[in-house]
């Protein structure tokens, strides 16, 4: 675990404040956190899907992706949803059926597709894993409004290509890296089921962070070091400054 975490700790400019960890360990807060975590897993998949659709594939391949996401989106947007019915569905149906064709003339297309499809598959799986834990604990799924964290990072994304894509990928790397850091810091303080689960998530989230960074560097026309440094400062500020809301990625509880 320490080998996985060392580069992440170096990448992030600060650790999660102890006040946030203490708050997360309150039983009531922990339930809210699971719901938010569940939301985040789906959002991670949706964001990656959006990137593939916008930059790397044509409309026909786009429809394949949309049909992959459909059962998940039907579940979250249906107020009559049932976790048990959703989890009992034939999961094989939720594999991506068919192959995505990279758009002509997009050099990074197949690399972006390969890395992001794997990521989406894993985020969908994490989403289902969190749901299972929620179901066992009698916690209902809820759609939550987004906190300030991702928005606060996205505000700094440049508005011309390929800089927009490069910045979004760097933001993706920070969100993944912070999730990793929080899972690792929370795990030893939680019950054994969550402890095991959070540690199991570290490996894939650590790879997601690296995949995002590698993609950013391969697409950028210059060294991304300065952009990474910029987002590192913005990110750390969002983590250490006071935050009125309590979320998986919120700042210091006020
Ligand atoms: Fe995940
Ligand atoms: Fe992830």
């Amino acid at each position: 675990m320490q080998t996985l975490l060392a580069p992440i700790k170096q990448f992030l400019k600060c650790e999660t404040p102890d006040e946030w960890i203490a708050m997360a360990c309150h039983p009531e807060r922990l339930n809210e956190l699971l719901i938010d975590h569940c939301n985040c897993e789906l959002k991670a998949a949706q964001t990656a899907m959006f990137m593939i659709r916008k930059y790397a594939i044509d409309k026909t391949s786009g429809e394949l992706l949309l049909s992959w996401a459909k059962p998940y989106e039907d579940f979250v947007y249906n107020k009559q949803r049932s976790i048990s019915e959703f989890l009992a569905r034939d999961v094989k149906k939720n594999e991506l059926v068919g192959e995505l064709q990279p758009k002509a003339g997009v050099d990074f297309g197949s690399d972006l597709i390969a890395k992001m499809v794997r990521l989406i598959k894993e985020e969908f799986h994490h989403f289902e894993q969190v749901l299972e834990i929620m179901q066992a604990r009698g916690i209902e799924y809820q759609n939550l409004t987004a906190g300030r964290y991702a928005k606060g990072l996205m505000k700094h994304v440049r508005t011309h290509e390929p800089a927009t894509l490069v910045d979004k990928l760097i933001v993706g790397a920070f969100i993944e890296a912070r999730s990793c850091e929080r899972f690792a810091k929370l795990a030893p303080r939680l019950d054994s089921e969550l402890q095991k689960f959070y540690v199991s998530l570290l490996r894939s989230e650590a790879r997601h962070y690296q995949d995002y960074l590698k993609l950013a560097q391969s697409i950028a026309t210059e060294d991304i070091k300065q952009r990474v440094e910029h987002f590192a400062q913005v990110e750390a500020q969002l983590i250490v400054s006071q935050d009125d809301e309590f979320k998986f990625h919120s700042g210091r509880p006020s």
Side-chain angles (χ1 to χ4, degrees):
M1 189 159 115
Q2 291 316 314
T3 335
L4 278 178
L5 282 173
I8 285 170
K9 285 193 172 160
Q10 242 183 349
F11 183 64
L12 298 170
K13 289 263 179 261
C14 68
E15 269 189 43
T16 291
D18 291 338
E19 296 97 305
W20 187 93
I21 298 288
M23 190 136 201
C25 294
H26 269 268
E28 251 170 67
R29 292 299 195 175
L30 185 60
N31 289 357
E32 288 169 30
L33 202 68
L34 279 170
I35 302 172
D36 191 44
H37 176 187
C38 198
N39 274 252
C40 287
E41 296 289 1
L42 189 65
K43 258 183 253 160
Q46 287 172 318
T47 308
M49 272 201 177
F50 178 79
M51 262 185 217
I52 305 182
R53 285 176 53 218
K54 181 164 164 71
Y55 293 98
I57 56 177
D58 61 17
K59 216 179 152 209
T60 321
S61 288
E63 272 151 23
L64 271 182
L65 265 191
L66 290 178
S67 59
W68 191 18
K70 193 168 184 302
Y72 297 89
E73 293 181 340
D74 285 350
F75 170 79
V76 299
Y77 299 129
N78 177 4
K79 291 221 170 77
Q80 312 303 316
R81 69 179 83 84
S82 144
I83 295 185
S84 53
E85 266 174 44
F86 177 74
L87 291 175
R89 80 202 188 286
D90 181 359
V91 281
K92 272 179 251 136
K93 281 185 193 147
N94 287 324
E95 289 283 315
L96 174 61
V97 185
E99 216 166 297
L100 304 176
Q101 290 306 323
K103 245 193 246 180
V106 184
D107 297 343
F108 55 82
S110 43
D111 191 24
L112 184 92
I113 292 172
K115 289 192 167 73
M116 292 294 105
V117 164
R118 184 171 181 193
L119 179 145
I120 294 164
K121 205 173 270 187
E122 290 171 346
E123 305 299 15
F124 279 158
H125 181 56
H126 299 161
F127 175 78
E128 284 159 1
Q129 287 179 298
V130 189
L131 274 184
E132 255 171 54
I133 291 176
M134 286 169 55
Q135 184 191 31
R137 296 176 184 214
I139 305 168
E140 292 288 335
Y141 181 87
Q142 283 170 47
N143 291 310
L144 302 175
T145 52
R148 68 178 194 182
Y149 180 73
K151 272 183 268 174
L153 288 164
M154 290 300 286
K155 243 183 16 206
H156 292 262
V157 168
R158 290 168 292 173
T159 54
H160 56 95
E161 298 293 358
T164 305
L165 176 56
V166 170
D167 284 357
K168 281 184 183 171
L169 290 164
I170 295 173
V171 167
F174 275 101
I175 298 176
E176 296 284 352
R178 180 59 66 189
S179 308
C180 243
E181 187 260 350
R182 288 208 161 164
F183 289 140
K185 204 164 177 181
L186 269 174
R189 294 163 174 91
L190 300 175
D191 57 84
S192 66
E193 180 187 38
L194 281 179
Q195 186 168 339
K196 250 196 242 150
F197 177 48
Y198 279 4
V199 170
S200 79
L201 290 177
L202 283 183
R203 190 169 297 278
S204 51
E205 308 300 12
R207 178 166 28 75
H208 296 169
Y209 130 77
Q210 276 172 348
D211 281 350
Y212 272 124
L213 264 193
K214 280 185 215 152
L215 280 167
Q217 187 55 76
S218 73
I219 292 165
T221 47
E222 57 204 9
D223 196 335
I224 60 170
K225 234 165 126 191
Q226 270 194 345
R227 291 310 287 166
V228 169
E229 181 59 31
H230 176 66
F231 280 106
Q233 301 216 354
V234 174
E235 200 273 345
Q237 198 49 39
L238 288 162
I239 292 301
V240 294
S241 60
Q242 289 218 334
D243 196 337
D244 298 335
E245 284 188 298
F246 182 73
K247 300 258 183 200
F248 190 82
H249 291 105
S250 58
R252 196 184 295 275
S254 47

